[in-house]
Amino acid sequence: MIKRKFSFFLIAEVFLIFLYSSVWGQGIKPSVLEKEVLQLEKEVADLERQTIERRKLQFTNKVLDSLEIRNNDMMDVFKLIESRSGLRIICNEPFHQTVNIFLKDVNAFDALRIILSRYGLAYEQLSSSTVSVMPESVFQSRYGVSFRDQVQMKEIRLKQSSAEQAKEIFQKYKNPLTRIVVNADDQGLIFIDESFSLNGIEELMQKIDVKVETKTIKVYNRQVGDIVKDITPLLTEYVGYVAADLSEKAITITDTPQRLLDLESFIRQADNQEEKILLEIHVAQILLNEEHQEGIDWKAILSQYESMDYKNFWQDQSLDVLKWGIVLVEDYPVLIEALETVGTMRTLFKGSQEMSKDEKFPVMIQPQKKIDLLHENKDEVFLNSSENFSVVFNYIATRDQDVVLNFQPHRNKLTTFPEVRIPKGSLLVLGGFFVKTDVQSTKKFPVLSSIPLLGTVFQTQKMDTRQSEVIIFVTPQFITEDVGPYAR
């Protein structure tokens, strides 16, 4: 396609010359034709230059991962570059300088320019993939400009930072036309820029060339993402970096040693800051129907169900099974309705307590051991009992907005109860506290039992012993302002 365009313009130029000679005697000014010819020549030259530049750009995108040369003759270096890049290097005379250099991530043209500039040589680009090497003095006499002055090139050695790390940082802030090469021998960077825009690079390097360290810090209570947002503005400019590992609940920070200490202290304080919860307690006792004397089937109701043996201090220290698990807060009203179908339910205690970490909250429970039922109108009277006990709840921690508690029935001091993790929007249910309850019922004959004075003759008293179960519902809520409500 390009050749066709060249041919067209050459034919046009010949035609114009012919036209120029033909019209000379007809009064047409030669300057007009000369301008046309010059314009055509300029367009042909532009097309050729653009084609070469495009091909050159395609070639220079071939990057050598590394170029390590140790005590090699210059001619052998040329052969090495040719074999690894496809670049053709022509020499009109042999060059035998001994070369030592180690470059990383460099294209063939830049590698050749860096090496030749160090040893007083230069190259002329003949085509997209061919260069001619010559002494720098020959290049300057031929073109009137120094080979070194064709592009702006600066080499800066690093004192603290690694070259690869500094290059990674520079890539974020450099001019798009600037190319950066790692000089692994001298622990430095070589900047190459054809737009001559490397001013201020040394000043930026002073900010980047500092000692940095990396440390991973575990997070136990706060959200990892929240802490990352808090510390990001505190990082040292250019060199500070933070990454979050949500699966491991950890934060990895790279920064200067002193700033790293400050950030670690900040994270520890933020992670351990006191978060208070409001513990809502509802204690109920259910007088179980005859068909549910074995107790409520908590395993079928609760998620994260667990159980363990304990001594029942209401029933001659007999061995019983304490059961617990989790229920969603939104299912709590449905659970209460379901429990009312297995027996007669009464609230023993309802209240709340604000708690800090490691604070204990004893809940006093006074179950009723004697109940008077009036069958006709379904009224019941729970008679007070002198016996009571307590369950002590201990607020341990918060993890991913879950609350971790443990609990200890007061009279089972030797029993170790495990931690319970209550997910956000859930509540803890404890069951299995059984009490033998004396039930006094009064059966009345309709109408006759209502006759004054004689009505008592038509009433029958009955005393039974039935099982009742004490249930504890525990709902935690965050009251820390920056976290918001926990369960509702």
Side-chain angles (χ1 to χ4, degrees):
M1 182 67 182
I2 298 298
K3 289 183 177 179
R4 290 179 181 177
K5 290 184 178 180
F6 289 167
S7 300
F8 169 77
F9 287 123
L10 289 173
I11 293 171
E13 184 175 355
V14 172
F15 172 74
L16 287 172
I17 293 172
F18 172 77
L19 183 62
Y20 171 77
S21 60
S22 300
V23 300
W24 175 263
Q26 298 183 20
I28 299 177
K29 293 182 179 180
S31 59
V32 176
L33 294 177
E34 288 176 356
K35 289 181 180 179
E36 294 292 337
V37 171
L38 291 173
Q39 180 63 29
L40 285 171
E41 290 177 344
K42 183 177 181 303
E43 291 180 5
V44 171
D46 287 344
L47 280 173
E48 185 177 13
R49 190 189 75 256
Q50 291 172 12
T51 302
I52 291 174
E53 289 298 324
R54 281 196 296 270
R55 290 179 179 174
K56 177 183 174 182
L57 183 61
Q58 292 172 356
F59 179 81
T60 55
N61 283 335
K62 297 180 180 179
V63 175
L64 304 176
D65 293 335
S66 66
L67 183 64
E68 186 173 9
I69 300 169
R70 298 301 179 200
N71 298 316
N72 283 23
D73 184 82
M74 183 68 77
M75 300 304 292
D76 293 333
V77 173
F78 293 158
K79 291 177 183 178
L80 177 63
I81 295 176
E82 284 180 327
S83 65
R84 294 194 49 192
S85 69
L87 178 64
R88 185 185 176 201
I89 303 174
I90 299 173
C91 299
N92 294 326
E93 58 180 286
F95 303 100
H96 296 293
Q97 294 90 333
T98 300
V99 180
N100 277 288
I101 198 167
F102 186 10
L103 305 176
K104 292 183 178 180
D105 299 326
V106 59
N107 66 56
F109 279 102
D110 286 342
L112 191 60
R113 177 177 292 279
I114 292 169
I115 294 171
L116 296 182
S117 296
R118 287 190 175 189
Y119 294 94
L121 301 177
Y123 72 77
E124 173 190 6
Q125 186 166 347
L126 303 179
S127 69
S128 62
S129 59
T130 305
V131 297
S132 174
V133 176
M134 63 192 73
E136 187 175 13
S137 58
V138 174
F139 183 93
Q140 186 163 358
S141 63
R142 182 179 296 179
Y143 297 103
V145 62
S146 170
F147 177 71
R148 297 169 181 264
D149 294 338
Q150 275 193 319
V151 299
Q152 190 177 12
M153 187 164 65
K154 286 187 178 182
E155 184 169 357
I156 302 177
R157 292 185 180 183
L158 299 163
K159 297 178 181 179
Q160 300 284 347
S161 179
S162 70
E164 287 82 0
Q165 190 176 39
K167 179 182 177 180
E168 185 179 348
I169 297 171
F170 266 109
Q171 295 284 15
K172 302 174 184 178
Y173 304 102
K174 72 177 183 63
N175 186 306
L177 298 177
T178 302
R179 300 185 297 279
I180 305 176
V181 180
V182 172
N183 180 1
D185 269 341
D186 297 330
Q187 192 58 241
L189 297 179
I190 302 172
F191 299 85
I192 302 173
D193 196 321
E194 297 176 5
S195 64
F196 294 85
S197 59
L198 294 181
N199 295 330
I201 205 77
E202 290 91 348
E203 182 180 350
L204 182 57
M205 178 63 83
Q206 290 178 359
K207 297 179 180 179
I208 293 176
D209 187 20
V210 294
K211 183 180 179 181
V212 296
E213 296 176 356
T214 299
K215 188 168 187 177
T216 299
I217 303 170
K218 291 282 290 184
V219 176
Y220 296 96
N221 300 315
R222 291 280 305 277
Q223 289 283 358
V224 171
D226 292 341
I227 293 183
V228 168
K229 290 179 183 178
D230 291 341
I231 68 173
T232 296
L234 306 178
L235 297 170
T236 302
E237 188 179 15
Y238 300 117
V239 298
Y241 176 77
V242 60
D245 188 338
L246 299 181
S247 62
E248 295 294 330
K249 290 212 66 179
I251 298 174
T252 300
I253 306 174
T254 298
D255 213 310
T256 62
Q258 183 57 51
R259 183 60 58 87
L260 198 58
L261 288 174
D262 295 340
L263 292 173
E264 182 177 8
S265 175
F266 177 88
I267 292 173
R268 299 296 186 203
Q269 184 177 358
D271 190 34
N272 293 323
Q273 72 177 21
E274 184 176 20
E275 288 182 331
K276 293 186 178 182
I277 62 170
L278 185 69
L279 212 60
E280 295 185 350
I281 305 291
H282 175 199
V283 182
Q285 181 177 354
I286 296 182
L287 179 64
L288 299 169
N289 297 335
E290 292 184 3
E291 61 268 28
H292 294 99
Q293 287 298 293
E294 296 299 320
I296 301 166
D297 185 7
W298 292 113
K299 190 172 183 179
I301 298 174
L302 304 175
S303 62
Q304 302 180 34
Y305 171 83
E306 294 186 59
S307 64
M308 68 181 304
D309 295 338
Y310 82 105
K311 289 184 179 180
N312 190 327
F313 40 84
W314 286 315
Q315 299 183 169
D316 302 324
Q317 298 289 314
S318 61
L319 197 64
D320 218 327
V321 179
L322 182 61
K323 306 164 187 177
W324 66 90
I326 302 299
V327 172
L328 292 176
V329 170
E330 60 188 33
D331 294 334
Y332 177 64
V334 178
L335 174 61
I336 295 299
E337 290 181 7
L339 292 176
E340 289 175 344
T341 64
V342 302
T344 304
M345 185 172 178
R346 178 183 185 242
T347 295
L348 299 180
F349 172 81
K350 209 167 189 178
S352 61
Q353 174 69 32
E354 183 179 306
M355 300 180 67
S356 301
K357 287 180 184 177
D358 298 324
E359 184 177 346
K360 291 178 172 56
F361 174 36
V363 178
M364 299 300 300
I365 300 173
Q366 188 175 26
Q368 311 307 313
K369 300 188 71 175
K370 187 175 181 180
I371 298 176
D372 187 11
L373 297 179
L374 304 178
H375 284 182
E376 183 181 34
N377 54 17
K378 304 300 180 184
D379 288 340
E380 70 262 10
V381 178
F382 282 70
L383 303 178
N384 289 333
S385 169
S386 59
E387 293 196 32
N388 60 68
F389 82 111
S390 66
V391 176
V392 179
F393 292 93
N394 179 25
Y395 170 33
I396 298 175
T398 58
R399 297 172 186 164
D400 292 333
Q401 296 193 39
D402 296 350
V403 169
V404 181
L405 302 173
N406 68 10
F407 56 90
Q408 175 73 54
H410 182 61
R411 297 190 186 181
N412 282 264
K413 294 181 179 179
L414 299 180
T415 304
T416 302
F417 286 81
E419 295 181 357
V420 180
R421 183 165 179 165
I422 308 174
K424 180 180 180 181
S426 303
L427 59 94
L428 171 68
V429 180
L430 284 83
F433 298 105
F434 289 102
V435 182
K436 287 183 179 179
T437 306
D438 295 330
V439 180
Q440 179 177 315
S441 59
T442 303
K443 185 176 181 181
K444 301 179 181 180
F445 289 93
V447 181
L448 296 177
S449 61
S450 302
I451 299 175
L453 301 178
L454 296 176
T456 55
V457 178
F458 301 98
Q459 298 179 5
T460 303
Q461 302 290 329
K462 183 181 178 182
M463 179 70 72
D464 291 326
T465 300
R466 282 162 53 185
Q467 195 85 292
S468 65
E469 185 172 354
V470 175
I471 308 166
I472 306 174
F473 304 94
V474 182
T475 307
Q477 292 188 31
F478 277 122
I479 58 176
T480 309
E481 294 182 0
D482 61 339
V483 177
Y486 173 80
R488 303 186 185 186

